[in-house]
Amino acid sequence: NAGVTQTPKFQVLKTGQSMTLQCAQDMNHEYMSWYRQDPGMGLRLIHYSVGAGITDQGEVPNGYNVSRSTTEDFPLRLLSAAPSQTSVYFCASTTLEGAHTEAFFGQGTRLTVV
Amino acid sequence: AQSVTQLGSHVSVSEGALVLLRCNYSSSVPPYLFWYVQYPNQGLQLLLKYTSAATLVKGINGFEAEFKKSETSFHLTKPSAHMSDAAEYFCAVSAGGTSYGKLTFGQGTILTVHP
């Protein structure tokens, strides 16, 4: 009964380094998304995907790339980390069933860029 | 486009007192509305949702919210606060249709419960 699994839970990067945040879901949901959480700003949408092979930008996409080769996985890539990307990142997987719609969130990845 | 405003970044109540967390939204289409709770160092958990059925929505842990279209509000209430309710609460809106999963969040309200 894993739901949405994010790895790693914590990460420290140096400015300019690259890394991939992993996200996997086992609920067969078509819709997946990445958010970043910053104090006093709630969660903001970075990228989302409505199915394998389909991705689109959210509110704050700059500096991040995504791909969706399978229904289960939706990795988020930071190509050249910057201190402004220090944040907590959440992956979500969503049912698209009208009144039953619900987003399920992972436990988050706390990223610090120094 | 959608937006959400949560009035009050911090709310403090005594144990047993009424909890009222305010949320106002803006949406160009009939909205889907959600309240999520986040405990320290945890992910977000759905408390309740409004998806165009009953305007008074009951959720987990004794919380409820009422959708008021005329006031564009979706305030969260609980009659009697418990120490375990201390957490951060987020109101969110989505547009429905293929945009079900695109949530726009408010800034969050930290609830403190005093003994």
Side-chain angles (χ1 to χ4, degrees):
Chain A
N1 198 18
V4 179
T5 303
Q6 289 184 236
T7 56
K9 288 185 170 53
F10 301 93
Q11 183 70 49
V12 179
L13 287 179
K14 294 182 179 179
T15 298
Q17 286 185 315
S18 63
M19 80 160 295
T20 299
L21 280 63
Q22 301 292 345
C23 176
Q25 55 98 359
D26 61 0
M27 296 173 282
N28 202 34
H29 292 164
E30 291 297 318
Y31 194 104
M32 296 184 73
S33 48
W34 278 100
Y35 294 85
R36 59 177 290 173
Q37 182 181 20
D38 301 292
M41 303 187 74
L43 282 78
R44 292 178 293 168
L45 182 64
I46 304 171
H47 284 286
Y48 65 97
S49 169
V50 299
I54 306 169
T55 63
D56 205 348
Q57 296 180 350
E59 179 185 355
V60 288
N62 292 342
Y64 308 95
N65 278 354
V66 293
S67 60
R68 184 93 179 273
S69 56
T70 66
T71 298
E72 294 78 19
D73 299 300
F74 191 43
L76 178 71
R77 298 183 187 84
L78 282 71
L79 301 178
S80 178
S84 61
Q85 293 179 304
T86 293
S87 187
V88 182
Y89 292 85
F90 287 98
C91 178
S93 172
T94 304
T95 63
L96 296 180
E97 297 176 9
H100 302 290
T101 188
E102 179 177 344
F104 295 85
F105 286 83
Q107 293 296 295
T109 295
R110 188 173 296 273
L111 176 68
T112 302
V113 182
V114 298
Chain B
Q2 289 79 41
S3 66
V4 174
T5 301
Q6 291 183 237
L7 301 176
S9 58
H10 291 81
V11 170
S12 180
V13 301
S14 298
E15 192 173 21
L18 171 71
V19 175
L20 171 60
L21 304 182
R22 299 178 186 274
C23 172
N24 288 90
Y25 71 91
S26 172
S27 178
S28 56
V29 298
Y32 281 20
L33 292 159
F34 307 83
W35 274 99
Y36 284 87
V37 61
Q38 184 181 35
Y39 298 101
N41 300 314
Q42 301 270 328
L44 277 72
Q45 180 183 7
L46 181 68
L47 274 179
L48 49 80
K49 62 184 178 184
Y50 167 77
T51 56
S52 74
T55 56
L56 181 61
V57 181
K58 294 187 184 297
I60 62 172
N61 302 338
F63 285 93
E64 64 181 38
E66 186 172 8
F67 171 68
K68 292 186 176 181
K69 183 178 179 180
S70 61
E71 299 178 8
T72 61
S73 68
F74 191 57
H75 301 330
L76 182 70
T77 61
K78 182 174 180 177
S80 178
H82 191 273
M83 297 294 290
S84 61
D85 295 327
E88 188 162 17
Y89 293 79
F90 293 94
C91 182
V93 63
S94 76
T98 56
S99 297
Y100 285 147
K102 292 178 68 175
L103 294 171
T104 299
F105 285 85
Q107 307 92 313
T109 298
I110 296 172
L111 176 66
T112 303
V113 182
H114 296 288

